[in-house]
Amino acid sequence: MRTPFIAGNWKMNKTAAEAVTFLNEIKDALDKIEGVDIAVCPPSIAIPAVAEVLSGSKVGVGAQNICGAESGAFTGEIAANMITPFCQYVIIGHSERRAYFGVLDSWVNQKAKVALAHGLTPIICVGESLEQNEAGETVSFVSGQVKAAFDGFTAEQAASCVIAYEPIWAIGTGKSASVEQAGGIIHDSIRVPLAEMFGEETAQAIRIQYGGSVKEGNIAAYMSHPDIDGALVGGAALKAGFVELVANAV
Ligand code: PEP
């Protein structure tokens, strides 16, 4: 039985002060919602303040990226051991990191391994572009991303990860994938290759989120699909309506 998991990806939004004000407004209401794991992923500079305001809350904290190296000459990067005092999760390979910061499949694999070695739960993002979708390349592309991300993992390591299926054409566009479309792609492009790599039991244990213009009004429909275990939420995680979105997921 996979516990639903809703994570908010704040991207480059909210200062530390704004984050604290916002979380003070919503955390008590989020804490009352049972049967769902919840996390927020603020910009890295706000992580310590967010962890402090959420101490004692059920709402977890995630980073939006870590470096695949432990330390050293990687200007602008953040190491896993710098976030472990504050975070339980880390988003790995978000399509914006892949597109604007050159993150390669091999780095996603390395970052996820480092995250696991530090006891963090990676939220590994995969998803196709509009061109790939329209060319009928979704299954081969997304399953390729999954195989690369999990290359060399043990079944136990794989089971400790969360995957977010986020079609690039649905992120921040207001154009969400239909439930059947998202669920079908998650099944064919993610659960099937995971079963081939790690066995059916492990594939069934891994939580897979949908991401792409998820809102209060459409989360329940996504959650009704047996292969969708939650959502990675961008824009709708920045407003108080996030509480209703999470409540509607269970
Ligand atoms: C995201 O950035 O992961 C995302 C899904 O964004 P949005 O919900 O705004 O489409």
Side-chain angles (χ1 to χ4, degrees):
M1 175 62 186
R2 302 184 296 262
T3 304
F5 177 33
I6 306 290
N9 172 15
W10 290 2
K11 311 191 187 197
M12 199 172 70
N13 293 292
K14 297 194 190 295
T15 64
E18 287 165 350
V20 167
T21 304
F22 176 59
L23 289 169
N24 274 326
E25 281 167 19
I26 65 167
K27 69 174 178 166
D28 290 349
L30 288 174
D31 277 336
K32 291 198 184 94
I33 306 171
E34 287 176 10
V36 57
D37 291 342
I38 311 165
V40 292
C41 305
S44 52
I45 189 84
I47 285 175
V50 164
E52 193 181 337
V53 76
L54 290 177
S55 73
S57 159
K58 69 173 268 182
V59 182
V61 183
Q64 298 176 15
N65 178 39
I66 51 164
C67 188
E70 293 287 344
S71 65
F74 296 97
T75 302
E77 286 285 88
I78 293 177
N81 71 355
M82 297 171 186
I83 64 163
T84 47
F86 314 106
C87 294
Q88 301 78 46
Y89 303 96
V90 56
I91 299 171
I92 306 272
H94 189 279
S95 60
E96 288 152 15
R97 302 286 320 166
R98 293 179 189 254
Y100 308 140
F101 301 96
V103 170
L104 303 173
D105 279 338
S106 57
W107 304 7
V108 171
N109 175 264
Q110 179 61 21
K111 286 167 187 272
K113 278 185 186 148
V114 168
L116 289 169
H118 286 270
L120 295 158
T121 298
I123 303 173
I124 298 172
C125 300
V126 295
E128 82 288 1
S129 66
L130 185 61
E131 295 72 34
Q132 288 165 325
N133 185 285
E134 288 177 349
E137 295 166 359
T138 300
V139 174
S140 64
F141 181 75
V142 175
S143 63
Q145 286 184 314
V146 170
K147 285 176 194 155
F150 286 87
D151 185 40
F153 279 38
T154 64
E156 197 189 340
Q157 285 176 314
S160 302
C161 296
V162 171
I163 300 175
Y165 167 62
E166 301 203 302
I168 296 168
W169 49 270
I171 296 180
T173 58
K175 239 200 255 178
S176 46
S178 75
V179 175
E180 295 69 33
Q181 200 177 11
I185 293 167
I186 285 173
H187 181 269
D188 298 347
S189 315
I190 303 180
R191 258 197 237 284
V192 168
L194 288 173
E196 284 164 9
M197 292 176 88
F198 304 110
E200 190 60 31
E201 200 181 322
T202 301
Q204 288 301 328
I206 297 172
R207 292 190 289 185
I208 306 177
Q209 300 172 315
Y210 167 72
S213 300
V214 173
K215 302 185 182 63
E216 297 90 300
N218 61 14
I219 182 68
Y222 287 113
M223 296 306 292
S224 70
H225 193 284
D227 274 304
I228 300 180
D229 306 314
L232 184 57
V233 183
L238 295 168
K239 296 170 256 163
F242 186 59
V243 174
E244 193 186 334
L245 190 159
V246 175
N248 290 348
V250 287

